[in-house]
Short mmCIF file of all heavy atoms in Angstrom, two decimals:
data_model
loop_
_atom_site.label_atom_id
_atom_site.label_comp_id
_atom_site.label_asym_id
_atom_site.label_seq_id
_atom_site.Cartn_x
_atom_site.Cartn_y
_atom_site.Cartn_z
N THR A 21 -9.76 -21.98 15.46
CA THR A 21 -9.26 -20.74 16.03
C THR A 21 -9.28 -20.87 17.55
O THR A 21 -10.32 -21.16 18.15
CB THR A 21 -10.13 -19.54 15.62
OG1 THR A 21 -10.14 -19.44 14.19
CG2 THR A 21 -9.56 -18.25 16.19
N LEU A 22 -8.12 -20.64 18.17
CA LEU A 22 -7.99 -20.82 19.62
C LEU A 22 -8.02 -19.50 20.39
O LEU A 22 -8.15 -19.50 21.61
CB LEU A 22 -6.69 -21.56 19.94
CG LEU A 22 -6.55 -22.95 19.31
CD1 LEU A 22 -5.17 -23.54 19.60
CD2 LEU A 22 -7.64 -23.89 19.84
N HIS A 23 -7.88 -18.38 19.68
CA HIS A 23 -7.86 -17.07 20.34
C HIS A 23 -8.49 -16.07 19.38
O HIS A 23 -8.25 -16.12 18.18
CB HIS A 23 -6.41 -16.67 20.65
CG HIS A 23 -6.26 -15.47 21.54
ND1 HIS A 23 -6.53 -14.18 21.11
CD2 HIS A 23 -5.87 -15.36 22.84
CE1 HIS A 23 -6.30 -13.33 22.10
NE2 HIS A 23 -5.89 -14.02 23.17
N PRO A 24 -9.29 -15.14 19.87
CA PRO A 24 -10.00 -14.21 18.97
C PRO A 24 -9.08 -13.22 18.26
O PRO A 24 -9.48 -12.64 17.24
CB PRO A 24 -10.97 -13.47 19.91
CG PRO A 24 -10.35 -13.60 21.27
CD PRO A 24 -9.70 -14.95 21.28
N LEU A 25 -7.85 -13.02 18.76
CA LEU A 25 -6.98 -11.99 18.18
C LEU A 25 -5.73 -12.53 17.51
O LEU A 25 -5.01 -11.78 16.86
CB LEU A 25 -6.57 -10.98 19.27
CG LEU A 25 -7.69 -10.15 19.90
CD1 LEU A 25 -7.13 -9.24 20.97
CD2 LEU A 25 -8.43 -9.35 18.84
N VAL A 26 -5.47 -13.82 17.66
CA VAL A 26 -4.26 -14.39 17.06
C VAL A 26 -4.48 -15.84 16.71
O VAL A 26 -5.17 -16.57 17.44
CB VAL A 26 -3.04 -14.23 18.01
CG1 VAL A 26 -3.31 -14.88 19.35
CG2 VAL A 26 -1.78 -14.79 17.38
N SER A 27 -3.93 -16.25 15.58
CA SER A 27 -4.09 -17.64 15.15
C SER A 27 -2.82 -18.11 14.44
O SER A 27 -2.28 -17.41 13.58
CB SER A 27 -5.28 -17.77 14.20
OG SER A 27 -5.46 -19.12 13.80
N VAL A 28 -2.34 -19.28 14.84
CA VAL A 28 -1.24 -19.94 14.14
C VAL A 28 -1.87 -20.98 13.22
O VAL A 28 -2.65 -21.82 13.67
CB VAL A 28 -0.27 -20.62 15.12
CG1 VAL A 28 0.78 -21.44 14.37
CG2 VAL A 28 0.42 -19.57 16.00
N VAL A 29 -1.56 -20.91 11.93
CA VAL A 29 -2.22 -21.77 10.96
C VAL A 29 -1.23 -22.74 10.33
O VAL A 29 -0.07 -22.40 10.06
CB VAL A 29 -2.91 -20.95 9.85
CG1 VAL A 29 -3.99 -20.06 10.45
CG2 VAL A 29 -1.92 -20.09 9.07
N ASP A 30 -1.71 -23.95 10.11
CA ASP A 30 -0.98 -25.00 9.41
C ASP A 30 -1.88 -25.46 8.28
O ASP A 30 -2.88 -26.15 8.51
CB ASP A 30 -0.66 -26.15 10.37
CG ASP A 30 0.06 -27.30 9.68
OD1 ASP A 30 0.22 -27.27 8.45
OD2 ASP A 30 0.44 -28.26 10.39
N LEU A 31 -1.55 -25.07 7.06
CA LEU A 31 -2.42 -25.38 5.94
C LEU A 31 -2.34 -26.84 5.52
O LEU A 31 -3.08 -27.27 4.64
CB LEU A 31 -2.12 -24.46 4.75
CG LEU A 31 -2.47 -22.98 4.99
CD1 LEU A 31 -2.20 -22.15 3.76
CD2 LEU A 31 -3.93 -22.83 5.42
N ASN A 32 -1.46 -27.62 6.17
CA ASN A 32 -1.51 -29.07 6.00
C ASN A 32 -2.75 -29.65 6.67
O ASN A 32 -3.14 -30.79 6.39
CB ASN A 32 -0.26 -29.72 6.62
CG ASN A 32 1.00 -29.42 5.84
OD1 ASN A 32 1.19 -29.93 4.74
ND2 ASN A 32 1.85 -28.58 6.40
N GLU A 33 -3.37 -28.87 7.57
CA GLU A 33 -4.57 -29.31 8.29
C GLU A 33 -5.85 -28.74 7.68
O GLU A 33 -6.94 -28.95 8.23
CB GLU A 33 -4.47 -28.88 9.75
CG GLU A 33 -3.27 -29.47 10.50
CD GLU A 33 -3.14 -28.93 11.91
OE1 GLU A 33 -3.90 -27.97 12.25
OE2 GLU A 33 -2.29 -29.42 12.67
N ALA A 34 -5.74 -28.04 6.57
CA ALA A 34 -6.91 -27.42 5.94
C ALA A 34 -7.94 -28.49 5.55
O ALA A 34 -7.59 -29.58 5.08
CB ALA A 34 -6.49 -26.63 4.71
N THR A 35 -9.21 -28.17 5.77
CA THR A 35 -10.30 -29.08 5.39
C THR A 35 -11.16 -28.51 4.28
O THR A 35 -12.12 -29.15 3.84
CB THR A 35 -11.19 -29.38 6.62
OG1 THR A 35 -11.72 -28.15 7.13
CG2 THR A 35 -10.39 -30.07 7.71
N ARG A 36 -10.82 -27.29 3.85
CA ARG A 36 -11.54 -26.67 2.74
C ARG A 36 -10.54 -26.14 1.72
O ARG A 36 -9.48 -25.64 2.09
CB ARG A 36 -12.42 -25.50 3.24
CG ARG A 36 -13.57 -25.93 4.14
CD ARG A 36 -14.32 -24.73 4.66
NE ARG A 36 -15.30 -25.11 5.65
CZ ARG A 36 -15.86 -24.27 6.51
NH1 ARG A 36 -15.54 -22.98 6.47
NH2 ARG A 36 -16.75 -24.69 7.39
N ALA A 37 -10.90 -26.26 0.47
CA ALA A 37 -10.02 -25.79 -0.60
C ALA A 37 -10.36 -24.35 -0.96
O ALA A 37 -11.53 -23.95 -0.96
CB ALA A 37 -10.16 -26.68 -1.83
N VAL A 38 -9.33 -23.57 -1.25
CA VAL A 38 -9.50 -22.20 -1.72
C VAL A 38 -8.71 -22.07 -3.02
O VAL A 38 -7.48 -22.02 -3.01
CB VAL A 38 -9.00 -21.17 -0.68
CG1 VAL A 38 -9.15 -19.76 -1.23
CG2 VAL A 38 -9.76 -21.32 0.63
N ASP A 39 -9.44 -22.06 -4.14
CA ASP A 39 -8.77 -22.00 -5.44
C ASP A 39 -8.27 -20.60 -5.77
O ASP A 39 -7.20 -20.42 -6.33
CB ASP A 39 -9.72 -22.48 -6.55
CG ASP A 39 -10.11 -23.93 -6.37
OD1 ASP A 39 -9.26 -24.71 -5.89
OD2 ASP A 39 -11.26 -24.28 -6.70
N PHE A 40 -9.09 -19.60 -5.42
CA PHE A 40 -8.72 -18.22 -5.70
C PHE A 40 -9.39 -17.32 -4.67
O PHE A 40 -10.56 -17.49 -4.34
CB PHE A 40 -9.16 -17.81 -7.11
CG PHE A 40 -8.91 -16.35 -7.40
CD1 PHE A 40 -7.67 -15.93 -7.85
CD2 PHE A 40 -9.91 -15.40 -7.23
CE1 PHE A 40 -7.42 -14.58 -8.12
CE2 PHE A 40 -9.68 -14.05 -7.49
CZ PHE A 40 -8.42 -13.65 -7.93
N ILE A 41 -8.62 -16.37 -4.15
CA ILE A 41 -9.19 -15.45 -3.16
C ILE A 41 -8.43 -14.12 -3.21
O ILE A 41 -7.22 -14.10 -3.43
CB ILE A 41 -9.11 -16.05 -1.73
CG1 ILE A 41 -9.88 -15.19 -0.73
CG2 ILE A 41 -7.67 -16.22 -1.28
CD1 ILE A 41 -11.36 -15.29 -0.84
N ARG A 42 -9.17 -13.04 -3.08
CA ARG A 42 -8.57 -11.71 -2.94
C ARG A 42 -8.89 -11.21 -1.55
O ARG A 42 -10.07 -11.07 -1.18
CB ARG A 42 -9.11 -10.73 -3.99
CG ARG A 42 -8.76 -11.10 -5.42
CD ARG A 42 -9.24 -10.02 -6.39
NE ARG A 42 -8.44 -8.81 -6.27
CZ ARG A 42 -8.86 -7.61 -6.67
NH1 ARG A 42 -10.07 -7.46 -7.17
NH2 ARG A 42 -8.07 -6.56 -6.57
N LEU A 43 -7.86 -10.99 -0.77
CA LEU A 43 -8.03 -10.60 0.62
C LEU A 43 -7.54 -9.18 0.84
O LEU A 43 -6.44 -8.81 0.43
CB LEU A 43 -7.25 -11.54 1.54
CG LEU A 43 -7.69 -13.01 1.59
CD1 LEU A 43 -6.73 -13.80 2.48
CD2 LEU A 43 -9.12 -13.12 2.11
N ASN A 44 -8.38 -8.38 1.50
CA ASN A 44 -7.96 -7.07 1.99
C ASN A 44 -7.68 -7.25 3.47
O ASN A 44 -8.60 -7.39 4.28
CB ASN A 44 -9.05 -6.03 1.76
CG ASN A 44 -8.65 -4.67 2.28
OD1 ASN A 44 -7.47 -4.33 2.34
ND2 ASN A 44 -9.62 -3.86 2.67
N TYR A 45 -6.40 -7.27 3.82
CA TYR A 45 -6.02 -7.60 5.19
C TYR A 45 -6.36 -6.48 6.17
O TYR A 45 -6.00 -5.33 5.97
CB TYR A 45 -4.52 -7.89 5.26
CG TYR A 45 -4.15 -9.24 4.70
CD1 TYR A 45 -3.93 -9.42 3.33
CD2 TYR A 45 -4.04 -10.35 5.53
CE1 TYR A 45 -3.60 -10.67 2.81
CE2 TYR A 45 -3.71 -11.60 5.02
CZ TYR A 45 -3.49 -11.74 3.66
OH TYR A 45 -3.18 -12.98 3.15
N GLY A 46 -7.06 -6.88 7.25
CA GLY A 46 -7.29 -5.99 8.37
C GLY A 46 -6.49 -6.45 9.57
O GLY A 46 -6.62 -5.92 10.67
N VAL A 47 -5.65 -7.47 9.35
CA VAL A 47 -4.79 -8.04 10.38
C VAL A 47 -3.37 -8.14 9.83
O VAL A 47 -3.14 -8.01 8.63
CB VAL A 47 -5.28 -9.45 10.79
CG1 VAL A 47 -6.69 -9.37 11.37
CG2 VAL A 47 -5.23 -10.41 9.60
N TYR A 48 -2.42 -8.37 10.72
CA TYR A 48 -1.06 -8.68 10.30
C TYR A 48 -1.01 -10.17 9.97
O TYR A 48 -1.66 -10.98 10.62
CB TYR A 48 -0.06 -8.38 11.41
CG TYR A 48 0.14 -6.91 11.69
CD1 TYR A 48 -0.51 -6.29 12.76
CD2 TYR A 48 1.00 -6.15 10.89
CE1 TYR A 48 -0.32 -4.95 13.03
CE2 TYR A 48 1.20 -4.80 11.16
CZ TYR A 48 0.54 -4.21 12.22
OH TYR A 48 0.73 -2.87 12.47
N ALA A 49 -0.22 -10.52 8.97
CA ALA A 49 -0.08 -11.93 8.60
C ALA A 49 1.33 -12.21 8.13
O ALA A 49 1.95 -11.39 7.45
CB ALA A 49 -1.08 -12.30 7.50
N LEU A 50 1.83 -13.37 8.52
CA LEU A 50 3.15 -13.84 8.08
C LEU A 50 3.01 -15.30 7.69
O LEU A 50 2.48 -16.11 8.46
CB LEU A 50 4.18 -13.67 9.20
CG LEU A 50 5.62 -14.11 8.96
CD1 LEU A 50 6.58 -13.27 9.82
CD2 LEU A 50 5.84 -15.59 9.26
N PHE A 51 3.46 -15.64 6.48
CA PHE A 51 3.33 -17.01 5.98
C PHE A 51 4.69 -17.55 5.56
O PHE A 51 5.47 -16.86 4.91
CB PHE A 51 2.38 -17.07 4.78
CG PHE A 51 0.99 -16.62 5.07
CD1 PHE A 51 0.54 -15.37 4.66
CD2 PHE A 51 0.11 -17.44 5.77
CE1 PHE A 51 -0.76 -14.95 4.93
CE2 PHE A 51 -1.19 -17.03 6.05
CZ PHE A 51 -1.62 -15.78 5.63
N LEU A 52 4.95 -18.80 5.94
CA LEU A 52 6.13 -19.53 5.49
C LEU A 52 5.66 -20.62 4.54
O LEU A 52 4.90 -21.51 4.93
CB LEU A 52 6.87 -20.16 6.67
CG LEU A 52 7.96 -21.19 6.34
CD1 LEU A 52 9.08 -20.54 5.52
CD2 LEU A 52 8.52 -21.82 7.61
N LYS A 53 6.08 -20.55 3.29
CA LYS A 53 5.66 -21.49 2.25
C LYS A 53 6.78 -22.47 1.98
O LYS A 53 7.88 -22.07 1.64
CB LYS A 53 5.31 -20.70 0.99
CG LYS A 53 4.65 -21.51 -0.07
CD LYS A 53 3.17 -21.53 0.16
CE LYS A 53 2.40 -22.03 -1.04
NZ LYS A 53 3.10 -22.88 -1.95
N LEU A 54 6.51 -23.76 2.13
CA LEU A 54 7.53 -24.78 1.95
C LEU A 54 7.35 -25.57 0.67
O LEU A 54 8.06 -26.55 0.44
CB LEU A 54 7.54 -25.73 3.16
CG LEU A 54 7.88 -25.07 4.49
CD1 LEU A 54 7.87 -26.09 5.61
CD2 LEU A 54 9.22 -24.37 4.43
N GLU A 55 6.39 -25.18 -0.16
CA GLU A 55 6.22 -25.80 -1.47
C GLU A 55 5.56 -24.80 -2.40
O GLU A 55 4.97 -23.81 -1.96
CB GLU A 55 5.34 -27.06 -1.37
CG GLU A 55 3.90 -26.77 -0.98
CD GLU A 55 3.01 -27.99 -1.00
OE1 GLU A 55 3.49 -29.06 -1.42
OE2 GLU A 55 1.85 -27.87 -0.60
N VAL A 56 5.67 -25.04 -3.70
CA VAL A 56 5.02 -24.18 -4.67
C VAL A 56 3.62 -24.71 -4.89
O VAL A 56 3.36 -25.51 -5.77
CB VAL A 56 5.80 -24.15 -6.00
CG1 VAL A 56 5.15 -23.16 -6.96
CG2 VAL A 56 7.25 -23.78 -5.77
N ALA A 57 2.68 -24.27 -4.05
CA ALA A 57 1.30 -24.76 -4.14
C ALA A 57 0.33 -23.65 -4.51
O ALA A 57 -0.84 -23.90 -4.77
CB ALA A 57 0.88 -25.39 -2.82
N CYS A 58 0.82 -22.40 -4.50
CA CYS A 58 -0.06 -21.30 -4.89
C CYS A 58 0.79 -20.12 -5.32
O CYS A 58 1.97 -20.02 -4.98
CB CYS A 58 -0.98 -20.89 -3.72
SG CYS A 58 -0.12 -20.09 -2.36
N ASN A 59 0.18 -19.25 -6.09
CA ASN A 59 0.81 -17.99 -6.47
C ASN A 59 0.15 -16.86 -5.69
O ASN A 59 -1.07 -16.82 -5.56
CB ASN A 59 0.65 -17.72 -7.97
CG ASN A 59 1.46 -18.69 -8.81
OD1 ASN A 59 2.56 -19.06 -8.43
ND2 ASN A 59 0.90 -19.10 -9.94
N ILE A 60 0.97 -15.96 -5.20
CA ILE A 60 0.44 -14.79 -4.50
C ILE A 60 0.75 -13.56 -5.32
O ILE A 60 1.88 -13.37 -5.79
CB ILE A 60 1.06 -14.66 -3.09
CG1 ILE A 60 0.46 -15.72 -2.16
CG2 ILE A 60 0.81 -13.26 -2.53
CD1 ILE A 60 0.91 -15.59 -0.73
N LYS A 61 -0.25 -12.75 -5.53
CA LYS A 61 -0.10 -11.52 -6.31
C LYS A 61 -0.43 -10.35 -5.42
O LYS A 61 -1.49 -10.28 -4.82
CB LYS A 61 -1.03 -11.56 -7.52
CG LYS A 61 -0.80 -10.44 -8.53
CD LYS A 61 -1.71 -10.62 -9.73
CE LYS A 61 -1.49 -9.53 -10.76
NZ LYS A 61 -2.42 -9.66 -11.90
N TYR A 62 0.52 -9.41 -5.33
CA TYR A 62 0.34 -8.22 -4.50
C TYR A 62 0.52 -7.02 -5.41
O TYR A 62 1.55 -6.86 -6.03
CB TYR A 62 1.36 -8.22 -3.36
CG TYR A 62 1.30 -6.99 -2.48
CD1 TYR A 62 0.07 -6.47 -2.08
CD2 TYR A 62 2.45 -6.37 -2.04
CE1 TYR A 62 0.01 -5.35 -1.27
CE2 TYR A 62 2.41 -5.25 -1.23
CZ TYR A 62 1.19 -4.75 -0.85
OH TYR A 62 1.12 -3.64 -0.05
N GLY A 63 -0.52 -6.19 -5.52
CA GLY A 63 -0.49 -5.11 -6.49
C GLY A 63 -0.63 -5.71 -7.88
O GLY A 63 -1.50 -6.53 -8.13
N ARG A 64 0.28 -5.36 -8.78
CA ARG A 64 0.21 -5.89 -10.15
C ARG A 64 1.28 -6.93 -10.41
O ARG A 64 1.45 -7.40 -11.52
CB ARG A 64 0.37 -4.73 -11.15
CG ARG A 64 -0.80 -3.75 -11.15
CD ARG A 64 -0.49 -2.56 -12.01
NE ARG A 64 0.59 -1.77 -11.43
CZ ARG A 64 1.14 -0.71 -12.02
NH1 ARG A 64 0.73 -0.34 -13.21
NH2 ARG A 64 2.11 -0.03 -11.44
N GLN A 65 2.02 -7.31 -9.37
CA GLN A 65 3.14 -8.21 -9.55
C GLN A 65 2.96 -9.49 -8.75
O GLN A 65 2.31 -9.50 -7.71
CB GLN A 65 4.45 -7.53 -9.10
CG GLN A 65 4.76 -6.25 -9.84
CD GLN A 65 5.16 -6.49 -11.27
OE1 GLN A 65 5.68 -7.53 -11.60
NE2 GLN A 65 4.90 -5.51 -12.13
N LYS A 66 3.57 -10.58 -9.25
CA LYS A 66 3.59 -11.83 -8.50
C LYS A 66 4.79 -11.81 -7.55
O LYS A 66 5.86 -11.33 -7.89
CB LYS A 66 3.71 -13.03 -9.44
CG LYS A 66 2.41 -13.36 -10.16
CD LYS A 66 2.56 -14.63 -10.96
CE LYS A 66 1.25 -14.99 -11.67
NZ LYS A 66 1.39 -16.22 -12.47
N TYR A 67 4.57 -12.36 -6.37
CA TYR A 67 5.67 -12.49 -5.43
C TYR A 67 6.72 -13.44 -5.97
O TYR A 67 6.42 -14.39 -6.69
CB TYR A 67 5.18 -13.04 -4.09
CG TYR A 67 4.96 -11.98 -3.05
CD1 TYR A 67 3.69 -11.63 -2.65
CD2 TYR A 67 6.03 -11.34 -2.45
CE1 TYR A 67 3.47 -10.67 -1.68
CE2 TYR A 67 5.84 -10.38 -1.48
CZ TYR A 67 4.56 -10.05 -1.10
OH TYR A 67 4.36 -9.09 -0.15
N ASP A 68 7.95 -13.16 -5.61
CA ASP A 68 9.06 -14.08 -5.86
C ASP A 68 8.87 -15.19 -4.82
O ASP A 68 9.50 -15.20 -3.76
CB ASP A 68 10.38 -13.32 -5.64
CG ASP A 68 11.59 -14.16 -5.94
OD1 ASP A 68 11.41 -15.30 -6.36
OD2 ASP A 68 12.70 -13.66 -5.74
#
Side-chain angles (χ1 to χ4, degrees):
T21 302
L22 300 175
H23 190 288
L25 296 179
V26 57
S27 181
V28 173
V29 298
D30 178 354
L31 293 182
N32 290 289
E33 299 175 352
T35 58
R36 294 176 187 162
V38 178
D39 296 327
F40 174 84
I41 188 73
R42 295 184 71 201
L43 295 176
N44 179 28
Y45 284 85
V47 299
Y48 290 100
L50 179 152
F51 299 104
L52 168 62
K53 189 87 166 24
L54 298 181
E55 67 175 354
V56 184
C58 70
N59 291 323
I60 286 185
K61 190 176 181 183
Y62 177 42
R64 292 172 294 175
Q65 301 289 333
K66 285 186 179 179
Y67 261 108
D68 183 3

